[in-house]
Amino acid sequence: MQEFTSKVALVTGTTGIGRAIAKRFAAGGAQVVACGIEAAANQELVREAAEFGGNFHVETGDVSNPESVQSVVAQTVQRYGGLDIIANAAAIHPFGSAVETDPQTWSRCMAINIGGVYLTAHFGIPEMKKRGGGVIINLASVQGYACQKGVAAYAATKGAVHSLTRALALDHAKDKIRVNSISPGSVRTPMLAVSAKHFSPDLPLEEVFARFGAGHPLGRIGTPEEVAEMAAFLASSKAAFCTGGDYLVDGGLIAGIGVQ
Ligand SMILES: NC(=O)c1ccc[n+]([C@@H]2O[C@H](COP(=O)([O-])OP(=O)(O)OC[C@H]3O[C@@H](n4cnc5c(N)ncnc54)[C@H](O)[C@@H]3O)[C@@H](O)[C@H]2O)c1
């Protein structure tokens, strides 16, 4: 018997870390709905997850839109009979100080990165309660603890993910719903590639990734699969006494004070 047999998982974000988590849950025996906003990425994930057959479904949805999230949750329940696990990995990463960030970009970042976590909880928790419990895993970031220059909106949302994780954990412990966040360091995903291009537009991607990696005590950037293993642990019964916490998968980044 696999760790997630008879469990139904909803994962937001169909590239990078979300994609790796969705596939890891499916490999563990879960029935998975992966929800993303990018049609091309969704199609690619459909092809990648073909090995899981009818136990893996990709849905197009916008985590910042209440009707869309309500619909994705309802379709998940209709398709697989309930909802046990939510992993929130959908996010955007705008750049700029508060002055440089226009109000629309600020609002969109809030609506997706923290609003999406609220919306999946709002519509998903009642379904988890019908199952007698559940697990929520929110992708935060080391930027929730310490941030770099020029990422004001993004960093603000990641601190908010830490806080909302604690609030959800306290409010729903009585419902046997465990809620934790994961704070990765730099991880090889499309989002990190965009950051690399933004901060070092003239350097080859691999060189920038190597530089990012050198800033982590372990000397490299992480992989989406390494983050997915933490998500799998937190979603499993092995983490039965873990709630309200944040778990670093950061190659030691936050352990340092910036001077190695
Ligand atoms: N890659 C890193 O270095 C890193 C570090 C720390 C934290 N994180 C966090 O991990 C999570 C996953 O990021 P990633 O690195 O895999 O990036 P990614 O860009 O590959 O994944 C983000 C996904 O969210 C989707 N998305 C964006 N807006 C959406 C919306 N409105 N509705 C539905 N989906 C939407 C994107 O299409 C994309 O598939 C994010 O929360 C990110 O902040 C990533």
Side-chain angles (χ1 to χ4, degrees), residues 195-221:
S195 284
K197 192 84 195 145
H198 175 81
F199 288 114
S200 302
D202 300 327
L203 290 180
L205 186 63
E206 286 306 324
E207 194 175 324
V208 187
F209 279 180
R211 288 183 183 200
F212 285 168
H216 294 60
L218 286 182
R220 63 173 177 86
I221 61 173

Side-chain angles (χ1 to χ4, degrees), residues 1-114:
M1 173 141 148
Q2 295 170 289
E3 63 212 307
F4 302 125
T5 300
S6 82
K7 299 294 183 191
V8 179
L10 171 60
V11 181
T12 73
T14 50
T15 56
I17 292 169
R19 174 178 299 206
I21 291 174
K23 289 167 69 179
R24 176 63 183 82
F25 286 167
Q31 293 177 301
V32 175
V33 172
C35 164
I37 200 167
E38 289 174 63
N42 291 355
Q43 279 312 314
E44 203 179 310
L45 182 53
V46 167
R47 284 191 292 276
E48 273 185 24
E51 64 184 288
F52 304 115
N55 286 331
F56 197 106
H57 178 72
V58 181
E59 192 71 46
T60 300
D62 178 351
V63 300
S64 70
N65 179 313
E67 289 77 31
S68 180
V69 176
Q70 185 172 28
S71 163
V72 169
V73 168
Q75 287 176 45
T76 302
V77 171
Q78 193 176 24
R79 180 175 292 271
Y80 295 130
L83 179 59
D84 304 290
I85 302 166
I86 296 171
N88 290 296
I92 58 170
H93 191 322
F95 299 97
S97 65
V99 173
E100 293 159 347
T101 303
D102 63 72
Q104 291 76 18
T105 302
W106 176 271
S107 298
R108 181 105 188 106
C109 189
M110 296 298 140
I112 295 170
N113 294 15
I114 185 68

Side-chain angles (χ1 to χ4, degrees), residues 116-170:
V117 176
Y118 151 71
L119 285 173
T120 59
H122 179 76
F123 292 113
I125 284 174
E127 295 299 335
M128 291 179 169
K129 286 168 77 169
K130 291 179 197 165
R131 305 273 271 194
V135 182
I136 299 175
I137 296 153
N138 300 322
L139 267 297
S141 169
V142 290
Q143 307 249 20
Y145 292 105
C147 80
Q148 59 193 138
K149 291 178 185 169
V151 294
Y154 179 80
T157 63
K158 293 305 173 177
V161 171
H162 286 163
S163 295
L164 182 54
T165 296
R166 289 189 285 267
L168 292 169
L170 290 185

